[in-house]
Amino acid sequence: MTAPTPKDPQAEAEFTRKMVLGILGTLEQKGLLSKHEVDSIIRAARQAAYPTPPRRTPGPAAPGTQWVKPGQPHQPMDRTTPVAIPNVQRATPTGTPENDQPKEETPKAEAPPVIDFDLK
């Protein structure tokens, strides 16, 4: 007695797919299923066969950021964490004539009004 030959999984999957499509087509032709029902069955089978991968949380965030997963309760923001704001202004090299002369004071413009509120 010989052992059964192993079957190719790709060929088996293709055979099963064609058989199911044939059965669904026959049921639709006989009037047991509507075209809309057949389409929804095929769509559900496709989604089950190829599930969407879980979404990754976005990359780098500001210091003190706490990621919240779906279903996890909201955590209020910790306002005790210091926020570092880098100085991005262009600095002139020391020893240049611009730095040797005293700068003239320019009148400061009024600061625009700021609205501060907390969303709850």
Side-chain angles (χ1 to χ4, degrees):
M1 191 163 167
T2 60
T5 59
K7 298 180 180 179
D8 181 28
Q10 288 289 87
E12 287 292 311
E14 185 66 19
F15 171 76
T16 305
R17 185 182 74 80
K18 287 181 180 180
M19 184 179 62
V20 168
L21 287 174
I23 292 171
L24 287 173
T26 304
L27 291 174
E28 182 183 351
Q29 286 176 353
K30 299 279 183 180
L32 298 172
L33 291 176
S34 69
K35 178 156 181 57
H36 192 63
E37 291 170 329
V38 171
D39 289 343
S40 64
I41 291 170
I42 292 172
R43 193 175 314 113
R46 215 177 260 144
Q47 286 177 349
Y50 304 108
T52 57
R55 292 181 56 193
R56 292 180 23 193
T57 53
T65 300
Q66 294 180 349
W67 296 109
V68 179
K69 295 188 176 15
Q72 183 179 0
H74 168 70
Q75 300 287 332
M77 188 166 73
D78 180 19
R79 295 191 182 268
T80 60
T81 306
V83 177
I85 302 173
N87 184 5
V88 293
Q89 295 176 345
R90 179 179 295 174
T92 57
T94 56
T96 60
E98 294 173 1
N99 289 341
D100 294 341
Q101 298 172 358
K103 293 184 181 179
E104 295 179 16
E105 299 252 346
T106 57
K108 292 186 177 182
E110 269 190 45
V114 177
I115 300 173
D116 186 22
F117 58 91
D118 191 15
L119 300 175
K120 290 186 181 185

